[in-house]
Amino acid sequence: MVMVDIPKSHPRYESLMVREKLVSGFRGGAVACEGLIAQGRGEAFDYILGERTHDVALKAIKAAACVLLLAKKPVISVNGNAAALVVGDIVTLSRLLLCPVEVNLFYRSREREDAVRKILVDGGASSVLGVSDDASERIPGLLHERGRVSASGIFCADVVLVPLEDGDRTQALRAMGKTVVTVDLSPFSRSAQAADVTIVDNIVRCYPLLCSEIERLKGFDDAQLRGIVDEFDNQKNLSLMFTAMRDRLSLAACGGELNG
Ligand code: PTJ
């Protein structure tokens, strides 16, 4: 529900609508107060990126699609921000990959678990894990609430898609031998640095692209998918993202044309 009437002609219309989704998710109990701060942090990086999906990110999206298609037991982790922003794409991903979605919250409470589950179920999700007693397993070494996971979901998954994440869990999941795909507008973040595949892009732009890429690549055989994954180097990709940001900042510093 949009709280203010934003005219479509407003130059920041798209960005303001994204904000309204989060504020509405916050008012409905799904988004943590801290989730609004996280969005602001992301927006700052998105400005530097020129609010567009770079070729470097497209390469990461392709690798992520291959990793997810090759997975035996993928799981899509969902926090409050992701549910509020991209529920339709989360449901599409779970249908394309025939995998469950799991509620996993840093600021976990029964009320927030239920609010996030409701968004997912209303959005068409058929199997929502990680709510209440279902989140009874623990990721070794993670003492905070994000360490609680479902025995039939993240705990036994081989590949986990964890967007907008704090770094601890990415590292702990990798220590369990899992492959981690993340989405983060900040290439500096610990999760961006620790994941196997990091998509540095806004989740509202890259989740639809990830869905299309999975659709496009699902006819490929495992050897072809594996070849694409083997060619991908996350550290190199992150370096190229930093270079893209540096180039945009240099352009701005020289008074160059930033739109384009
Ligand atoms: O719903 P909960 O309780 O699990 O809490 C979710 C938040 C996001 C509050 C929690 O995971 C958190 O505190 O995350 P951080 O440590 O602030 O990290 C969030 C990261 O996501 C930051 O590096 C942001 O730059 C990035 N980010 C924020 N919004 C977006 C984003 N990346 C992509 N798309 C966005 N829209």
Side-chain angles (χ1 to χ4, degrees):
M1 185 179 48
V2 178
M3 294 296 171
V4 291
D5 193 15
I6 301 165
K8 280 206 164 126
S9 57
H10 192 291
R12 306 272 328 139
Y13 179 77
E14 298 295 338
S15 171
L16 291 172
M17 292 308 286
V18 170
R19 277 193 185 174
E20 287 304 313
K21 277 190 185 178
L22 276 172
V23 170
S24 159
F26 171 68
R27 293 202 167 110
V31 174
C33 179
E34 294 80 358
L36 303 178
I37 299 170
Q39 171 71 11
R41 177 145 58 136
E43 282 180 4
F45 283 99
D46 212 9
Y47 251 81
I48 299 174
L49 289 173
E51 295 175 304
R52 67 179 177 85
T53 305
H54 286 244
D55 289 347
V56 186
L58 288 175
K59 222 173 154 193
I61 290 169
K62 187 174 180 183
C66 294
V67 164
L68 288 162
L69 283 166
L70 283 166
K72 300 269 175 288
K73 208 171 180 321
V75 173
I76 302 165
S77 183
V78 183
N79 64 15
N81 287 43
L85 292 177
V86 286
V87 62
D89 301 306
I90 292 169
V91 172
T92 302
L93 280 173
S94 75
R95 286 188 184 148
L96 286 169
L97 298 166
L98 303 175
C99 76
V101 294
E102 177 165 341
V103 177
N104 184 271
L105 305 176
F106 187 76
Y107 302 100
R108 195 186 273 272
S109 68
R110 264 321 309 272
E111 292 73 24
R112 286 199 61 224
E113 287 178 349
D114 285 338
V116 173
R117 173 167 58 184
K118 184 169 176 356
I119 290 180
L120 291 166
V121 170
D122 290 351
S126 50
S127 166
V128 179
L129 304 175
V131 174
S132 186
D133 291 345
D134 184 54
S136 57
E137 277 293 354
R138 199 158 259 291
I139 300 172
L142 268 200
L143 299 179
H144 52 72
E145 284 296 294
R146 197 154 250 170
R148 281 179 53 203
V149 288
S150 168
S152 51
I154 291 172
F155 193 71
C156 63
D158 57 347
V159 177
V160 194
L161 174 59
V162 276
L164 283 57
E165 176 72 11
D166 67 290
D168 285 9
R169 191 164 69 124
T170 303
Q171 285 162 342
L173 289 170
R174 288 207 60 187
M176 287 176 85
K178 301 179 193 305
T179 300
V180 178
V181 177
T182 196
V183 174
D184 199 319
L185 276 162
S186 165
F188 289 98
S189 83
R190 282 181 308 141
S191 44
Q193 292 288 332
D196 293 275
V197 180
T198 304
I199 303 168
V200 181
D201 195 18
N202 198 317
I203 194 168
V204 301
R205 289 193 301 270
C206 73
Y207 260 35
L209 294 171
L210 183 59
C211 292
S212 325
E213 198 61 351
I214 289 172
E215 192 88 73
R216 186 179 77 82
L217 293 168
K218 73 178 180 212
F220 281 40
D221 62 36
D222 282 6
Q224 288 172 298
L225 297 173
R226 171 87 32 227
I228 295 167
V229 175
D230 288 346
E231 257 181 39
F232 181 78
D233 178 337
N234 205 45
Q235 282 311 317
K236 193 170 155 207
N237 201 261
L238 284 169
S239 296
L240 292 170
M241 252 0 276
F242 281 117
T243 306
M245 287 181 168
R246 183 198 62 193
D247 289 348
R248 293 254 320 153
L249 289 169
S250 299
L251 195 63
C254 299
E257 175 54 63
L258 286 171
N259 298 321

